[in-house]
């Protein structure tokens, strides 16, 4: 699943460890999510969305929905 | 589910460092307990086996220890491992749990395939009787390989 986590994290100047600490997960977990090797659980996805003050679908994209308008 | 979005930069890294310390403390306790149990049980088993190999009986055989003490020793080890593995499970994140589940599943499948296959070969008079220790060790090795493969993949 594609996501904008790396960009969002970089915008705030956070390391993977910083984000991991804020989420209560390891740095490896953050890396695995960023590289698309691991899809987070729904509770963790909500946690991420709250942390970045975005909706889940503004962070993650499963490639199934056409976001175009018209 | 609370997320501290107002915390200062660097606070997350400090929280993660504490989390990492807790993780390695539990791992060290598990390894230490395993080493302790393995050392004493291995030493005693080696001692009784050596006495038997010489055609004799160990001077300090199992029946020389009180029945309750024998049960208590095993129960203490079981309880220690149960408590430590429970602490580990509630302390790690969901990726670590997923790694453990994949490893455990692979280990269980290895056991479920290996034992019946070996048993069938034994019944067909192709091999010797299945060896519990070899099957147990193989299952653990398969579980460990799958677990470590997943860990390496996320580095």
């Amino acid at each position: 699943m594609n996501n904008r986590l790396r960009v969002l994290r970089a915008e705030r100047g956070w390391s993977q460890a910083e984000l991991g600490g804020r989420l209560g997960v390891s740095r490896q977990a953050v890396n695995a999510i960023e590289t698309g090797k691991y899809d987070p659980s729904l509770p963790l996805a909500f946690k991420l969305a709250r942390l970045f003050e975005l909706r889940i679908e503004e962070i993650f994209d499963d490639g199934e929905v056409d976001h175009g308008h018209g | 589910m609370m997320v501290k979005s107002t915390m200062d930069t660097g606070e997350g890294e400090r929280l993660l460092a504490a989390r990492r310390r807790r993780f390695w403390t539990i791992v060290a306790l598990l390894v230490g307990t395993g080493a302790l149990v393995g050392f004493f049980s291995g030493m005693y088993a080696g001692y009784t086996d050596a006495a038997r190999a010489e055609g004799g009986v160990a001077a300090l055989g199992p029946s020389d220890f009180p029945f309750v003490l024998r049960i208590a020793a095993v129960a203490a080890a079981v309880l220690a491992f149960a408590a430590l593995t429970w602490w580990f499970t509630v302390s790690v994140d969901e990726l670590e749990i997923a790694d453990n589940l994949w490893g455990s599943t692979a280990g269980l499948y290895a056991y479920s395939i290996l034992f019946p296959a070996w048993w069938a070969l034994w019944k067909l008079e192709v091999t010797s009787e299945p060896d519990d220790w070899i099957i147990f060790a193989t299952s653990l090795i398969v579980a460990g390989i799958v677990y470590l493969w997943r860990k390496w993949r996320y580095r």
Side-chain angles (χ1 to χ4, degrees), chain B residues 63-137:
Chain B
S63 57
D64 292 318
F65 296 99
F67 184 71
V68 174
L69 182 66
R70 282 178 270 161
I71 291 179
V74 175
V78 169
L79 283 174
F81 282 117
L84 286 169
T85 49
W86 175 82
W87 188 20
F88 178 85
T89 305
V90 298
S91 301
V92 296
D93 65 21
E94 61 181 57
L95 181 63
E96 182 67 34
I97 291 288
D99 294 343
N100 272 269
L101 290 177
W102 273 99
S104 305
T105 303
L108 182 63
Y109 284 2
Y111 182 89
S112 305
I113 293 166
L114 186 60
F115 176 74
W118 194 345
W119 182 85
L121 288 171
W122 171 53
K123 285 294 175 186
L124 292 169
E125 298 181 356
V126 177
T127 63
S128 57
E129 193 174 351
D131 185 315
D132 296 337
W133 282 104
I134 292 175
I135 295 170
F136 171 66

Side-chain angles (χ1 to χ4, degrees), chain A residues 22-33:
Chain A
R22 286 168 183 255
L23 292 169
V25 300
S26 64
R27 184 199 62 75
Q28 284 82 1
V30 173
N31 186 54
I33 296 168

Side-chain angles (χ1 to χ4, degrees), chain B residues 28-42:
Chain B
L29 283 170
L30 271 166
V31 171
T33 307
L36 207 67
V37 171
F39 176 75
F40 284 109
S41 58

Side-chain angles (χ1 to χ4, degrees), chain A residues 12-18 20-29 31-32 37-41 43-44 46-48 50-51 53, chain B residues 1-17 19-20 91-96 98 150-155:
Chain A
R12 284 155 182 81
W14 292 346
S15 63
Q16 288 184 339
E18 177 69 27
R22 286 168 183 255
L23 292 169
V25 300
S26 64
R27 184 199 62 75
Q28 284 82 1
N31 186 54
K37 288 176 180 167
Y38 176 73
D39 293 332
S41 67
L44 184 55
F46 270 110
K47 229 172 179 177
L48 273 162
R50 288 198 189 106
L51 185 62
E53 296 174 333
Chain B
M1 187 196 321
M2 279 294 294
V3 176
K4 296 171 188 169
S5 57
T6 55
M7 61 174 64
D8 298 330
T9 299
E11 184 67 22
E13 293 200 5
R14 278 192 289 278
L15 287 170
L16 191 65
R19 186 181 181 80
R20 208 175 288 137
S91 301
V92 296
D93 65 21
E94 61 181 57
L95 181 63
E96 182 67 34
R150 281 185 58 95
K151 298 292 276 182
W152 168 78
R153 196 169 159 247
Y154 297 133
R155 289 270 168 203

Side-chain angles (χ1 to χ4, degrees), chain A residues 39-68:
Chain A
D39 293 332
S41 67
L42 203 49
L44 184 55
F46 270 110
K47 229 172 179 177
L48 273 162
R50 288 198 189 106
L51 185 62
F52 289 114
E53 296 174 333
L54 294 168
R55 288 179 297 143
I56 289 177
E57 55 268 41
E58 290 176 305
I59 302 174
F60 295 96
D61 178 13
D62 66 354
E64 295 289 321
V65 180
D66 180 8
H67 292 292

